[in-house]
Amino acid sequence: MKYFVLNRGDETSLKLSHKFHKLANQYNMILDEKSPDIAVSIGGDGTMLYAFHKFVQNLDHISFVGIHTGHLGFYADWKPNEIEQLLSLMVEKGNSEQIIVEYPIVQLEIKTIKDTRIYYALNEITIKGIHATLVAQLDINDDQFEMFRGDGICISTPSGSTAYNKGLGGGIIHPALPSIQITEIASINNRVFRTLGSPIILPKHHHCDIYPKAKQKILLSVDHLQFEHDDIISIRSSVSHKKVRFARYRPFPFWNRVKDAFVGNESN
Ligand code: NAP
């Protein structure tokens, strides 16, 4: 099995990363930065975002697994003291017996006056104005839906629904539902600019186009990555045909993660 490890860079994650390499070496696993079968993220959910983007071109054949060195993560579900167990399961199950769960991701197509670019997001994309509020027309399935004015728009994946989307009042979506969720970031509502005000969930095969007012300076985020533009014509978001694959060596249901992260175990 070919593997690669990314870590958050803090002392605990670095130590754990060394330990992982040592154990992997004992199991004759092959370190491969270009085309690993499995990418191991050691840190938090933010580290998994880096891992996803490092291997975004390999999504068809790579799977991810996360060890958390802080609080419980949504993408990182192994504890540091379980590293031996994880490695022996990785070796025992190999590539053929691994249980893989696939989560939907957002596909983004950005048309500028120069070119068209495709990006993929594991959590979400956001579109914000840099010097002023964002002014943009939002279309759903090629029909004008609303004129937006405000801080910005967030479009999240189901697994990203527990991240920025949640802070914006979006709903939590189970990753088994191939969908994208559109949430507003502080919209201004008056007679000219009127938006729905509620999060919108689009199914697979629907798409949403955002047409920012010409020459606006836009800050576009794709997970932790940020890009500045003043030449965007349109931004199309949809559920990608590609998916991200996570290797699961034991069950850890999504709703349990949600409960552990946000509700806790108090039963009063
Ligand atoms: P960061 O500011 O270092 O991390 C933001 C926080 O979001 C971290 O605590 C991270 O968990 C957590 N997180 C990431 N993905 C998550 C998920 N799917 N479910 C629940 N929590 C999640 O920023 P970063 O490391 O560059 O990560 C970028 C992410 O930050 C974006 O994708 C966005 O979702 C999130 N963000 C959130 C807000 C907000 O809620 N108001 C605002 C901006 C950005 P770990 O500590 O485990 O890494």
Side-chain angles (χ1 to χ4, degrees), residues 8 43-50 68 70-76 122-126 128 154 157-168 221-225 261-262:
R8 184 164 44 194
D45 288 328
T47 322
M48 186 60 84
L49 297 178
Y50 280 84
H68 67 84
H71 55 85
L72 168 93
F74 277 87
Y75 300 120
L122 175 58
N123 265 355
E124 78 286 292
I125 62 131
T126 66
K128 295 177 180 175
C154 171
T157 64
S159 59
S161 66
T162 51
Y164 200 175
N165 168 77
K166 184 174 183 294
L168 299 170
S221 78
V222 180
D223 297 330
H224 59 290
L225 306 169
F262 300 118

Side-chain angles (χ1 to χ4, degrees), residues 1 37-38 63 89-90 93-100 245 247-249:
M1 179 184 271
D37 303 309
I38 191 153
S63 52
L89 281 166
M90 282 170 80
K93 305 279 180 198
N95 290 333
S96 48
E97 276 183 57
Q98 245 176 13
I99 294 177
I100 298 288
R245 295 148 44 92
R248 288 271 185 272
Y249 298 101

Side-chain angles (χ1 to χ4, degrees), residues 87-142:
L87 257 144
S88 73
L89 281 166
M90 282 170 80
V91 173
E92 186 194 318
K93 305 279 180 198
N95 290 333
S96 48
E97 276 183 57
Q98 245 176 13
I99 294 177
I100 298 288
V101 295
E102 295 187 325
Y103 283 3
I105 55 176
V106 178
Q107 175 171 316
L108 189 66
E109 190 182 310
I110 301 170
K111 267 193 200 146
T112 69
I113 48 181
K114 287 193 283 297
D115 56 19
T116 300
R117 290 185 195 180
I118 306 280
Y119 293 96
Y120 299 95
L122 175 58
N123 265 355
E124 78 286 292
I125 62 131
T126 66
I127 300 135
K128 295 177 180 175
I130 294 182
H131 298 306
T133 50
L134 172 75
V135 179
Q137 179 181 319
L138 190 148
D139 290 10
I140 295 178
N141 298 341
D142 304 316

Side-chain angles (χ1 to χ4, degrees), residues 15-27:
K15 270 192 191 154
L16 212 59
S17 181
H18 289 312
K19 188 171 175 185
F20 192 96
H21 286 301
K22 214 171 142 195
L23 288 165
N25 191 32
Q26 286 169 14
Y27 282 119

